[in-house]
Amino acid sequence: MEERYEHYMMVGDRALASLDFQEASKNYNMALQSAQEGTMTGDDFKLRPKMMVPTLNLAKCLRELARYKEAEDILTTYIKDAKDPPVDTRLHARVLSTLAELYQAQSKYDAAAKLHKQAVSMVRGGTPNLELAGSIAGYAETLRKSGDLPQAELHHREALAIRTRAVEEKSCTELELAVSYTQLGCTLAGMHKHNEAYQQHHRALGLRYRYLDFSHGLVSESMNYCAESLCALGRGAEGIPLALHAVEIRKTIFGTTHPAYAHALSILASCYQSVGRSFDARDCLEKCLEI
């Protein structure tokens, strides 16, 4: 049982890292089945990391696949069954953050903000660590998407400072910083601080290009945002090669019917339009409308 569980978790983690959410969700389900067939029993069964780690990861995959109701059922069942106070405070905070991200994906910003605040308060005590940085950044993203950009910037800078310290202390790799650079860059872009936004996205792209495959989805994400920032700065010609690569990567990873592919096409269209290539821009937008 133990070997099967570890195998499914390894395959699931690998698929999740490459953004293959369908394959990841399948393997996390198998990991859960293996754990349930094992020897774990008792009232705290669902609270144990061996069950909750694949459960949380499964919920994240279902969110990315837009299977919101299934993901919500998994998370709310855990919260309903959890003891008060929770047996594992940090694990409970992760569940709250994951549910908040699910609500955020559905534009339920008030509900998401409430859960994020609870999660942050649960992990705020003690030495700042990556878990706290993730909770703060999650709250900041809800603030950003709900329109409170100044507060989002404040929280994203706090998360970046914690992650920077973790890198300096060698408790994580530099790649962790790319998350904060990207989120802060998006926040600054929303505030029309396009020069600094580009700098943040360019830093994220440099790290992701260094540590990940060129065809990785996160590399395409950074290319996309760099191209978008360059276009906003009146440098659309420089953004076109980046946007083209992002389109091709997302086409390969997600296919031609996924919103991520449409987003890449829309940025490429903006770059084309900025240099007077109206027909090319129109072709990209027509493809977007078909998705």
Side-chain angles (χ1 to χ4, degrees):
M1 296 297 179
E2 183 71 24
E3 289 182 2
R4 285 173 55 197
Y5 173 86
E6 295 297 339
H7 170 74
Y8 290 130
M9 286 299 297
M10 179 187 69
V11 176
D13 290 346
R14 187 181 301 151
L16 181 60
S18 61
L19 307 185
D20 187 347
F21 302 113
Q22 196 72 49
E23 181 67 15
S25 63
K26 182 181 75 174
N27 280 279
Y28 289 135
N29 257 321
M30 296 301 292
L32 284 169
Q33 290 179 29
S34 295
Q36 288 168 344
E37 292 168 3
T39 58
M40 292 184 298
T41 57
D43 294 336
D44 65 340
F45 177 74
K46 292 183 180 179
L47 305 179
R48 299 192 182 196
K50 193 157 190 174
M51 283 295 294
M52 284 313 303
V53 172
T55 297
L56 284 170
N57 289 346
L58 174 60
K60 291 177 181 178
C61 291
L62 293 173
R63 181 193 71 217
E64 294 295 335
L65 293 168
R67 292 162 60 180
Y68 300 133
K69 183 64 168 61
E70 295 173 66
E72 184 173 358
D73 287 346
I74 289 172
L75 297 169
T76 53
T77 297
Y78 163 77
I79 293 172
K80 179 182 177 181
D81 293 344
K83 295 181 179 180
D84 188 17
V87 173
D88 188 326
T89 301
R90 292 190 177 277
L91 188 58
H92 190 79
R94 285 180 61 188
V95 176
L96 294 177
S97 292
T98 304
L99 181 57
E101 290 165 0
L102 177 65
Y103 287 150
Q104 179 182 299
Q106 301 172 78
S107 301
K108 299 177 181 179
Y109 298 122
D110 289 342
K114 182 179 178 181
L115 289 171
H116 275 309
K117 283 182 179 179
Q118 291 179 37
V120 171
S121 66
M122 292 181 79
V123 297
R124 177 69 84 168
T127 304
N129 54 29
L130 291 178
E131 197 165 5
L132 175 59
S135 295
I136 293 171
Y139 179 42
E141 280 296 277
T142 295
L143 292 171
R144 176 176 74 85
K145 293 184 178 182
S146 64
D148 192 349
L149 297 176
Q151 281 298 309
E153 180 187 5
L154 183 69
H155 284 79
H156 273 315
R157 290 193 185 279
E158 181 183 2
L160 175 57
I162 294 171
R163 285 173 169 145
T164 300
R165 192 176 308 118
V167 170
E168 291 170 350
E169 295 171 352
K170 302 188 185 306
S171 59
C172 69
T173 68
E174 287 182 300
L175 192 57
E176 187 73 30
L177 297 177
V179 178
S180 277
Y181 291 148
T182 300
Q183 293 171 336
L184 181 56
C186 290
T187 303
L188 294 167
M191 302 169 75
H192 303 289
K193 298 179 180 180
H194 297 297
N195 191 53
E196 189 179 356
Y198 173 68
Q199 292 174 10
Q200 298 293 338
H201 288 311
H202 192 263
R203 288 172 184 152
L205 177 59
L207 289 173
R208 286 170 170 173
Y209 184 74
R210 185 186 310 166
Y211 291 103
L212 302 173
D213 291 337
F214 180 76
S215 59
H216 197 284
L218 292 176
V219 174
S220 76
E221 178 185 71
S222 292
M223 286 180 172
N224 233 17
Y225 286 132
C226 281
E228 186 176 42
S229 294
L230 286 168
C231 190
L233 290 167
R235 298 162 57 186
E238 297 174 58
I240 289 174
L242 292 169
L244 280 168
H245 283 304
V247 166
E248 288 305 310
I249 293 171
R250 292 191 169 194
K251 181 179 179 180
T252 300
I253 294 176
F254 299 110
T256 57
T257 60
H258 196 281
Y261 176 64
H263 182 236
L265 283 171
S266 70
I267 291 175
L268 178 58
S270 296
C271 291
Y272 279 147
Q273 187 65 41
S274 72
V275 296
R277 294 173 60 175
S278 301
F279 289 109
D280 290 327
R282 185 185 65 186
D283 287 344
C284 290
L285 293 175
E286 286 176 352
K287 290 178 182 177
C288 286
L289 292 174
E290 293 172 0
I291 296 175

